[in-house]
Amino acid sequence: MTVAAMMTAMSVQAQRIEVVDANGHGIPLVSVLTEEGNLIGTTNMDGVVTDVKGAAKVAVTHVAYKPQLVTVASLTNGRVTMEDLDYNINEIVVMPKPYVYVETYYRFYAFINDSLRYYQAGILPNAYDIQKKKVETGSQQNSCGDFYPSFGVGVTWGARVMEFHAGKIYQHLDYSPEGNAGQRYFLTLTDEGNGRRRISNPEGTLGYLVAEGNQMRTTIDGGKAQMYRNKRLGQNKALKKREEMEYAYQYTDIFTTDDSGNCNVEDLVMYTNHWEWTKSKGRYKMIIETYAVDRGYVNKQEWKDKKKELKQEYKSGMTLDQLEAYAAAHHIPALAPTLRRAIEGLNKKK
């Protein structure tokens, strides 16, 4: 009876996996999915998902790494090592032109109770007016492909993608105590050596700044930062609402850097945002991925021409095959096969 009890306990034991990079550092915000494309969860700041819920195989995917499908039982101590994405965008020469042009490719996923319910992807042109410090965007509707069943919140959030695209062109946050983000969210930076700095507030670690080669990578638990700010400022209504919703928000962004480690407005490479909250229908999870595919300095007419060209080329929208061909041509990681099958399943339900 004792042996039987032990075997039963082992069979229900949570299957933990840890996702790390080539240096052995945990990778936060890795999406871990079943073979059917259901979202098991995303890794925490240490790169860990505490339970894969009995899945024999899991797909792991992240904006900055090559996706993998792994057999859980074959892993040593539950560890998965992801390979860096061989991803580079063109170097640009500073020119005396008034706009910075950044063309981005995006993917947006919406899950309810871990089941994919909405997918949208496409190309979005953006320009940043250097003198006015203002962002302009091109047409989202004429350059995107979308695949969804009846899911209103997904459509709303799909429209918000444009806002996040444009914002990341010029949003360079300083996480030092004296910087814009540091002051706003009461943050501290601690140097851990080897180009790695820990971001924390008085309640604990929130994320990391990591310098790798000519890139600066930031991952931070924005939800905890926002809720601590609510608490410090006495914003009790906002704090209570977020607590009731079990609100969570994390993001990763990557910029190229110059020889001094500085980022400029045109240096966006890629980023991902994850939101979660609970409502009457269950647990909602929204994921946005963005990749810069083209950038440069342009004048006003060149900016208008670029918008027009994209609008004309994709005026009838993009198919899933076109989206994947565009991604491959720009060295963007392919969709994990599990997600591709889930997206194709959405199309069948339309």
Side-chain angles (χ1 to χ4, degrees):
M1 289 179 63
T2 302
V3 172
M6 290 176 62
M7 291 180 66
T8 301
M10 290 175 65
S11 67
V12 298
Q13 184 178 11
Q15 295 171 287
R16 173 186 182 275
I17 67 168
E18 178 188 14
V19 186
V20 300
D21 61 20
N23 297 316
H25 294 140
I27 307 174
L29 299 190
V30 176
S31 295
V32 181
L33 304 109
T34 67
E35 288 187 90
E36 296 75 33
N38 291 326
L39 183 65
I40 295 170
T42 54
T43 57
N44 62 21
M45 288 296 152
D46 297 316
V48 172
V49 164
T50 56
D51 188 4
V52 297
K53 303 176 183 177
K57 291 184 179 181
V58 296
V60 291
T61 180
H62 185 280
V63 68
Y65 299 88
K66 295 180 181 179
Q68 294 183 45
L69 181 66
V70 297
T71 301
V72 175
S74 69
L75 300 176
T76 302
N77 298 322
R79 175 171 279 204
V80 180
T81 302
M82 296 194 79
E83 185 180 350
D84 254 42
L85 189 63
D86 183 15
Y87 180 84
N88 288 293
I89 55 177
N90 57 302
E91 294 287 339
I92 67 172
V93 178
V94 175
M95 300 289 289
K97 293 184 178 182
Y99 291 90
V100 175
Y101 177 72
V102 181
E103 185 173 305
T104 51
Y105 178 90
Y106 69 88
R107 293 173 177 150
F108 170 71
Y109 314 84
F111 297 84
I112 294 182
N113 296 329
D114 301 333
S115 176
L116 183 67
R117 300 290 292 277
Y118 181 97
Y119 174 75
Q120 181 171 309
I123 309 163
L124 188 68
N126 303 285
Y128 179 69
D129 187 323
I130 299 169
Q131 293 180 339
K132 295 181 180 179
K133 296 184 178 180
K134 180 181 177 182
V135 172
E136 298 181 28
T137 63
S139 171
Q140 181 195 35
Q141 298 304 322
N142 288 317
S143 62
C144 71
D146 50 16
F147 309 87
Y148 55 90
S150 178
F151 183 36
V153 72
V155 178
T156 302
W157 273 77
R160 283 191 67 186
V161 169
M162 189 187 311
E163 173 189 340
F164 286 103
H165 271 291
K168 279 295 176 181
I169 294 179
Y170 67 94
Q171 185 184 19
H172 294 278
L173 298 180
D174 185 347
Y175 298 93
S176 67
E178 302 80 19
N180 51 0
Q183 288 188 20
R184 183 174 177 82
Y185 295 104
F186 310 97
L187 302 178
T188 299
L189 275 180
T190 304
D191 191 348
E192 296 187 339
N194 297 319
R196 186 178 174 91
R197 286 175 286 173
R198 179 164 49 89
I199 306 169
S200 58
N201 68 10
E203 293 186 336
T205 298
L206 296 178
Y208 296 94
L209 280 172
V210 180
E212 293 187 357
N214 68 331
Q215 290 185 354
M216 178 62 70
R217 303 185 179 193
T218 306
T219 301
I220 190 166
D221 190 325
K224 288 184 179 179
Q226 290 169 344
M227 292 170 76
Y228 180 74
R229 172 180 165 81
N230 293 153
K231 187 185 301 185
R232 283 285 295 265
L233 298 182
Q235 298 168 341
N236 297 324
K237 186 176 180 179
L239 178 60
K240 182 180 179 181
K241 182 177 180 181
R242 283 174 166 154
E243 289 175 340
E244 289 174 347
M245 294 170 62
E246 300 177 276
Y247 170 77
Y249 165 53
Q250 298 87 28
Y251 66 87
T252 292
D253 61 35
I254 301 175
F255 288 85
T256 57
T257 58
D258 59 24
D259 292 340
S260 300
N262 299 316
C263 302
N264 296 306
V265 70
E266 71 275 7
D267 289 330
L268 170 69
V269 176
M270 58 181 77
Y271 76 94
T272 184
N273 286 267
H274 290 215
W275 286 268
E276 294 188 31
W277 66 89
T278 300
K279 292 183 71 176
S280 58
K281 291 184 179 180
R283 190 70 174 165
Y284 286 66
K285 299 180 182 180
M286 309 289 171
I287 299 174
I288 293 175
E289 299 175 346
T290 289
Y291 308 81
V293 295
D294 188 20
R295 59 185 184 176
Y297 287 85
V298 296
N299 59 36
K300 190 170 185 177
Q301 186 57 50
E302 289 170 331
W303 163 229
K304 287 182 177 180
D305 290 343
K306 283 181 175 289
K307 287 191 293 184
K308 185 177 179 180
E309 288 168 10
L310 269 181
K311 185 174 181 178
Q312 181 63 30
E313 185 172 2
Y314 300 111
K315 61 183 178 181
S316 60
M318 299 177 73
T319 66
L320 186 55
D321 287 339
Q322 283 178 313
L323 288 164
E324 288 298 273
Y326 183 95
H330 292 85
H331 310 289
I332 295 168
L335 284 167
T338 54
L339 278 174
R340 171 106 191 200
R341 286 195 292 271
I343 292 164
E344 290 169 346
L346 292 181
N347 283 323
K348 293 176 182 177
K349 296 175 184 177
K350 289 182 69 171

